[in-house]
Amino acid sequence: MLQVGRQESSGYVLECEGLAKSFGDRRAVEGVGFRIAPGEIYGLLGPNGAGKTTTMKMICGLLRPDRGSITIAGRQAIGNIDVRGLVGYVPQDVALYPDLSARENLQFIGRLYRLDRRTLAERVAEALALTELTERAGDRLDAYSGGMRRRLNIAAGLLNHPRLLILDEPTVGVDPQSRHAILERVQAFGRDGLAVVYTTHYMEEAERVCDRVGIIDHGRLIAEGTRRELVAELGEHDSIELEASGNLDRLAEVCRSVPGVSTAAAADHSVQIVTEDGRSILPAVLEAADRSGCAVTSVDVTEPDLEAVFLHLTGTALRE
Amino acid sequence: MRAAFAIAGKDLRQRLRDRSAIVVGILAPVVIAGLMSFAFRGIESFNFTLGVVDLDHGPVATSLVRALQSPQLKSVITLRRLSSASVARDEIRRGVLPAGLVIPAGFSASIAGSRPESVVTLSSDQLPIAGDVTRSAVQSFVSQLNADRLSVYTALAAGAPMSDLSRLASVAGKLRIPLQAVERPVGAQELKVISYYAPGMAIFFLLFTVSYAARSFFVDKSEGMIERMRAAPVRPAEILVGKALSAFVFGALSLGVIGVVTSVAFGASWGAPLPAVVLGFVLVLSVVALTALVIGLSRTQRQAEGIASIVVFGLALLGGNFFFISSAPGVMKHLALLTPNGWALRGFTDLSTLGGGLGTIAEPVFAILVFTAVVGAAAVALAPRAVRS
């Protein structure tokens, strides 16, 4: 595993070592380990089926690992139900009752965390203020917009004042304005000293909010570090993004045959290419594109980013 | 267990806000029990109008008519005098009257003679039971008459003077045949239709709790709420207990409200309050065990709904919620005793007819508890898996 700048000091909020989980014959996670310090936002990146949801579920206590250990705030977490009170979990889909009001939903979730009456009232008021939903606290959730529900979904994960917050793709299906607000809130969590595990498909989100990133693929953590550290590992590379129409898999294949191209992979409506010198190689790439029969509509040559790192390490684009 | 109470409280809040749950849990059973009671009211208060044609006008004919107006038959037969047999036939044919009785001319005189005159009973196809009742009443009168004749004849044969004939006839007429077949209910009181269908429908709709609670569990699961609960410091058992508790409270509430409403509005008898409450309690407990078993056996909401439907309608049919189990074939009566609802119905009808206290329901309560223990043990083995998976 590529491991860069790993913290060695004690006092981590989360420590995972050698986590493994299989479902029948299929190995979902194999040997995953990472640590997160207080106030650190840790991005877990990987395509669907890479093993990140399984890893998150093991940390939350929803799945029992076959092997490995999980320590949360210095306490062994596997099979320890009390440790779950230190963790805030925000599932990918909004997990709240549409036929209950925001206040009733928060009160219910707070009671699950055994909050006493007074603390519960304080935390609910705090969560409503945080999500700017105090005025509509008595409205049923089915009258809320998607963005409001998302905000409340996150606030519900904070009711127990966790030491570790787990956010599973919290911005999926959210409008840009709400997305911006959520990302700002996540950054604020880090500043407030909360340790955060953040999974996402969106590389730009990981670049914006995460202090460190772990790249998971085929159940293994294949790289870990800050953005700068991971990009530096690529060396002097450029990233070319060709937006094109036609058979993009064919275009990626043709581009890979161009001398000087490290990797190329189709993603959404574009082909991502990692190369040592983007500007000098560009004419050959465009010529190859022409041969593939694809119509290139735009070209963007940039400094390497996490997308390029991911492509370089896995040979595939994150949103392939 | 605080989490279990939180889950139960939340489930109850949702359920009481759901109008369909109120309709299924309370309104529908009350309305259907009321309708069934109304539809079957004729069974418990049978009476008809009998057209009587007296062509004899003699003392025996008068006695027969008086016998048909006796206090015992007053609530069953209302007499209407008609002028002729043809009028009686016509009214029966047109459905105006269900039955008629024609006393022929010379009927009284024929009693003393050797050539008897026959009383004719007319009946319609629409209400044959009216003809049967008339025939039976007339037969009873004729039997008494023959007994009187036999007594007088015996006295004369034994040497009584012929001059005593009218005195002997008068004495014989005052004697009644001592042995009569009288039908009486086994219990202290007759079972009213509403007293059967009120618990019958209440229990039938209570069984729907199985479907509702199982569906609620799988909706929670598919929407990530079970996962959210499990991510909190909540044990799988607490989730199941919370769900079971809400099913229990709603089931008990539904049964209690239906009991009070059908008693007050329709005069249904559920027996003494304490044994009725105890019986209802163990019945609801068995429904909770069934719910947990359905959850344990299912993997998806659709599976749960399918299994719950089979359970609800299977038990309702076998247990006799739709018909009087006492009138069902012997096999059905035995099968009913394999179901908690069958035992509960038996308990409630026993309380209604026999009265009494906890002793009356000891057998049904024991049987339901055995059923609950068996089903509950299977549920305990299977249901936690449904929470974890």
Side-chain angles (χ1 to χ4, degrees):
Chain A
M1 184 186 82
L2 173 71
Q3 194 169 345
V4 186
R6 188 165 178 167
Q7 298 190 44
E8 293 297 333
S9 64
S10 59
Y12 289 104
V13 175
L14 173 69
E15 293 173 90
C16 300
E17 296 290 342
L19 290 179
K21 182 73 186 174
S22 297
F23 299 101
D25 295 336
R26 190 176 68 83
R27 280 186 182 180
V29 170
E30 184 60 49
V32 168
F34 55 92
R35 297 172 184 180
I36 306 177
E40 187 178 26
I41 301 172
Y42 185 91
L44 203 54
L45 300 183
N48 284 334
K52 58 187 191 304
T53 299
T54 303
T55 303
M56 299 243 293
K57 285 189 172 183
M58 287 192 284
I59 297 168
C60 292
L62 298 172
L63 283 174
R64 195 180 180 90
D66 298 334
R67 286 192 307 280
S69 69
I70 301 168
T71 306
I72 295 172
R75 296 168 69 182
Q76 197 280 120
I78 298 170
N80 185 349
I81 200 163
D82 293 331
V83 171
R84 291 181 205 168
L86 304 172
V87 182
Y89 173 55
V90 179
Q92 181 177 340
D93 296 319
V94 175
L96 296 166
Y97 292 104
D99 55 343
L100 296 182
S101 68
R103 180 176 285 115
E104 288 166 342
N105 268 292
L106 293 173
Q107 284 172 337
F108 169 63
I109 292 164
R111 286 189 189 109
L112 296 179
Y113 284 92
R114 307 169 188 172
L115 301 181
D116 62 60
R117 189 184 289 262
R118 191 173 155 193
T119 311
L120 179 63
E122 286 171 5
R123 300 277 176 89
V124 168
E126 186 183 288
L128 288 169
L130 183 78
T131 51
E132 297 170 1
L133 290 170
T134 307
E135 296 289 312
R136 297 192 57 187
D139 293 355
R140 283 167 53 124
L141 239 63
D142 46 18
Y144 281 27
S145 69
M148 289 159 84
R149 283 185 222 181
R150 281 270 171 202
R151 272 148 52 199
L152 199 66
N153 196 39
I154 294 173
L158 296 165
L159 280 169
N160 56 324
H161 280 189
R163 300 278 305 277
L164 172 69
L165 181 66
I166 296 178
L167 293 161
D168 191 2
E169 311 225 19
T171 59
V172 169
V174 170
D175 61 88
Q177 199 179 349
S178 295
R179 188 178 178 190
H180 176 74
I182 288 169
L183 293 178
E184 284 211 326
R185 180 57 56 195
V186 172
Q187 286 176 305
F189 293 152
R191 287 195 296 273
D192 293 345
L194 192 59
V196 180
V197 180
Y198 188 97
T199 71
T200 181
H201 272 91
Y202 303 115
M203 206 59 87
E204 62 275 20
E205 279 187 11
E207 296 209 337
R208 178 174 161 185
V209 303
C210 297
D211 299 311
R212 278 194 307 137
V213 169
I215 294 175
I216 191 165
D217 193 35
H218 293 105
R220 292 176 182 276
L221 196 66
I222 55 173
E224 188 186 49
T226 63
R227 177 193 180 280
R228 183 187 295 270
E229 289 164 346
L230 289 170
V231 169
E233 276 302 306
L234 275 179
E236 295 296 318
H237 279 72
D238 284 335
S239 178
I240 302 173
E241 183 177 6
L242 295 180
E243 275 192 24
S245 58
N247 187 341
L248 298 183
D249 287 328
R250 167 80 183 134
L251 174 57
E253 189 185 327
V254 170
C255 289
R256 277 196 290 270
S257 66
V258 174
V261 169
S262 304
T263 50
D268 291 344
H269 303 292
S270 64
V271 168
Q272 305 286 332
I273 299 164
V274 175
T275 175
E276 285 177 7
D277 185 353
R279 294 186 195 285
S280 65
I281 211 168
L282 192 57
V285 166
L286 290 174
E287 199 178 311
D290 193 41
R291 281 203 308 276
S292 73
C294 291
V296 175
T297 53
S298 82
V299 178
D300 195 9
V301 180
T302 58
E303 294 289 308
D305 55 8
L306 284 178
E307 186 83 51
V309 173
F310 192 85
L311 181 62
H312 177 69
L313 291 171
T314 66
T316 58
L318 186 59
R319 278 171 282 164
E320 192 172 40
Chain B
M1 274 296 135
R2 278 178 65 186
F5 286 117
I7 292 165
K10 184 272 305 169
D11 272 10
L12 274 174
R13 186 185 294 236
Q14 285 179 300
R15 194 150 188 206
L16 291 172
R17 278 184 192 168
D18 180 359
R19 285 182 195 158
S20 69
I22 302 296
V23 168
V24 171
I26 294 167
L27 283 181
V30 168
V31 169
I32 293 176
L35 285 174
M36 282 188 150
S37 166
F38 182 74
F40 290 105
R41 201 159 52 179
I43 290 174
E44 44 182 54
S45 57
F46 174 71
N47 60 64
F48 66 96
T49 302
L50 177 68
V52 176
V53 181
D54 184 2
L55 301 173
D56 179 59
H57 302 295
V60 180
T62 305
S63 293
L64 173 57
V65 172
R66 203 177 295 135
L68 292 170
Q69 290 174 309
S70 66
Q72 291 93 334
L73 293 174
K74 203 174 175 181
S75 61
V76 180
I77 300 174
T78 305
L79 292 190
R80 209 178 111 200
R81 289 186 178 273
L82 300 172
S83 56
S84 68
S86 61
V87 171
R89 282 197 184 88
D90 182 54
E91 295 220 350
I92 290 168
R93 197 176 298 120
R94 287 191 290 117
V96 178
L97 289 173
L101 182 70
V102 180
I103 307 170
F107 176 64
S108 295
S110 74
I111 299 298
S114 57
R115 198 173 136 263
E117 288 288 345
S118 298
V119 174
V120 177
T121 309
L122 306 170
S123 60
S124 77
D125 294 339
Q126 290 177 355
L127 195 61
I129 193 169
D132 294 341
V133 170
T134 306
R135 238 185 326 273
S136 175
V138 170
Q139 189 61 50
S140 172
F141 177 81
V142 169
S143 298
Q144 183 66 51
L145 204 59
N146 284 334
D148 295 350
R149 288 177 68 196
L150 188 61
S151 306
V152 172
Y153 180 78
T154 306
L156 291 173
M162 200 61 179
S163 56
D164 278 0
L165 180 63
S166 57
R167 190 182 61 82
L168 288 170
S170 170
V171 170
K174 284 174 186 166
L175 298 171
R176 306 259 46 99
I177 298 171
L179 294 174
Q180 294 183 59
V182 177
E183 191 177 292
R184 293 213 184 285
V186 173
Q189 294 177 43
E190 250 178 286
L191 178 65
K192 290 197 292 184
V193 173
I194 186 67
S195 298
Y196 186 83
Y197 279 112
M201 285 302 106
I203 293 168
F204 172 58
F205 282 95
L206 175 69
L207 290 173
F208 278 102
T209 302
V210 175
S211 179
Y212 187 91
R215 193 175 66 231
S216 154
F217 175 84
F218 283 100
V219 167
D220 273 10
K221 197 171 179 182
S222 64
E223 291 183 354
M225 291 310 300
I226 297 291
E227 199 169 271
R228 179 151 234 163
M229 291 176 204
R230 288 190 53 224
V234 178
R235 290 179 175 80
E238 288 180 283
I239 297 173
L240 285 172
V241 169
K243 293 278 172 194
L245 202 57
S246 70
F248 181 86
V249 173
F250 190 83
L253 202 66
S254 159
L255 207 55
V257 170
I258 295 165
V260 171
V261 171
T262 53
S263 301
V264 173
F266 304 117
S269 167
W270 291 67
L274 178 64
V277 167
V278 170
L279 189 57
F281 182 90
V282 293
L283 175 68
V284 176
L285 215 55
S286 73
V287 170
V288 170
L290 274 170
T291 306
L293 182 63
V294 169
I295 289 172
L297 289 172
S298 311
R299 287 288 164 273
T300 63
Q301 185 185 339
R302 187 170 290 189
Q303 270 183 13
E305 285 171 349
I307 295 172
S309 296
I310 293 168
V311 167
V312 170
F313 287 99
L315 288 177
L317 280 171
L318 290 176
N321 291 71
F322 299 127
F323 51 85
F324 282 95
I325 200 71
S326 56
S327 58
V331 179
M332 290 297 288
K333 286 178 191 164
H334 284 104
L335 287 174
L337 298 182
L338 295 175
T339 67
N341 47 315
W343 276 106
L345 257 179
R346 182 167 159 175
F348 283 121
T349 50
D350 283 354
L351 282 175
S352 171
T353 55
L354 301 171
L358 292 171
T360 307
I361 54 158
E363 203 184 1
V365 164
F366 178 74
I368 296 169
L369 285 177
V370 169
F371 178 92
T372 306
V374 172
V375 171
V380 165
L382 292 171
R385 197 177 61 181
V387 179
R388 288 195 196 98
S389 64

